[in-house]
Amino acid sequence: MFGWRRRDGREDDAGGSEIGKDHHGEVDSVPEGGPYDRQEAPHDEVERLDLGSVRLPVPENSQLQVEVDPAGPVRAVHLLTPSGRLTVSAFAAPRTGDLWQEVRQELVEQLRSDGAEVRHEQGIWGAEIVADTDRTSLRFVGVDGPRWLLRGVAASPSEDLDACTKLLYAVIDETVVDRGTEPMPVRTPLPIELPEEIAQHIQRQQEQAGA
């Protein structure tokens, strides 16, 4: 079991968004909630990590892994959990709100060209991609929002993918996206801004490595 850390120190069970499957293996319960646009973010007690473009809950017993471009910008922030790695990121999208369908088709082609076995599954927010490789299993979830696309990825050993998927769903369901007002080309990753404490920690690590 896992939970969110609340601001008052208590924990909420993140399993509130139950993921049941019918006899066809399809998800048969849909959560009421997010991901939320900044303008409709709930005033709740869930403590979220503020990364600028996304604010996401951090599951208990997980660690942050920050991927930094040599030129300086942060590429991605991963959540390392006992069941696998979660990555949630946001991209600029058109007002029509149908970018995930286009991106999903391209991901399938790329994964298959890399030798992965790929299949489509119906998930909480619609069509998803599941890919199996020699070393890991991946699930890609996409949610179209107002001028943004949120993409979540669960990566884990095949036997842990169901547990990792459940955790990814719960994280996405509580995530808040801040698209901003600046015009951006479609598919541009929304910028990630690390909290000052984390940014300073990474800087110290880089300086120690350089020394």
Side-chain angles (χ1 to χ4, degrees), residues 178-201:
D178 187 349
R179 164 64 173 78
T181 58
E182 295 297 323
M184 296 183 186
V186 172
R187 299 183 181 225
T188 300
L190 300 186
I192 297 174
E193 300 176 5
L194 296 176
E196 187 64 25
E197 182 179 353
I198 297 177
Q200 290 179 355
H201 177 70

Side-chain angles (χ1 to χ4, degrees), residues 20-210:
K21 293 186 178 181
D22 62 17
H23 63 282
H24 297 297
E26 294 185 352
V27 174
D28 60 6
S29 61
V30 178
E32 296 181 2
Y36 304 94
D37 185 73
R38 178 182 60 84
Q39 297 186 7
E40 61 181 21
H43 298 287
D44 55 26
E45 293 299 320
V46 175
E47 186 172 3
R48 295 174 174 85
L49 177 65
D50 190 347
L51 298 174
S53 56
V54 293
R55 300 197 294 272
L56 67 160
V58 178
E60 291 293 298
N61 302 317
S62 64
Q63 297 179 339
L64 291 181
Q65 181 184 60
V66 180
E67 188 177 337
V68 181
D69 190 287
V74 177
R75 288 179 177 174
V77 173
H78 310 289
L79 301 176
L80 305 182
T81 77
S83 58
R85 189 179 79 171
L86 309 177
T87 308
V88 177
S89 49
F91 304 83
R95 295 183 183 276
T96 54
D98 57 0
L99 182 59
W100 174 234
Q101 178 179 355
E102 182 180 329
V103 171
R104 192 172 69 245
Q105 294 172 348
E106 295 175 0
L107 277 171
V108 168
E109 295 176 2
Q110 177 183 338
L111 290 163
R112 285 177 174 162
S113 67
D114 292 337
E117 295 184 7
V118 182
R119 65 184 183 276
H120 294 275
E121 290 190 2
Q122 196 69 14
I124 285 181
W125 290 278
E128 301 175 356
I129 301 171
V130 178
D132 294 312
T133 69
D134 294 337
R135 295 179 297 177
T136 189
S137 293
L138 303 164
R139 180 180 293 271
F140 295 83
V141 178
V143 185
D144 287 304
R147 297 177 64 223
W148 50 259
L149 167 67
L150 187 72
R151 188 182 72 182
V153 184
S156 68
S158 58
E159 62 270 19
D160 294 329
L161 188 60
D162 284 347
C164 198
T165 294
K166 183 176 181 179
L167 188 50
L168 177 65
Y169 284 175
V171 169
I172 290 175
D173 190 44
E174 294 289 354
T175 294
V176 176
V177 181
D178 187 349
R179 164 64 173 78
T181 58
E182 295 297 323
M184 296 183 186
V186 172
R187 299 183 181 225
T188 300
L190 300 186
I192 297 174
E193 300 176 5
L194 296 176
E196 187 64 25
E197 182 179 353
I198 297 177
Q200 290 179 355
H201 177 70
I202 293 175
Q203 184 178 0
R204 287 194 297 268
Q205 286 184 323
Q206 292 175 334
E207 291 173 350
Q208 291 173 359

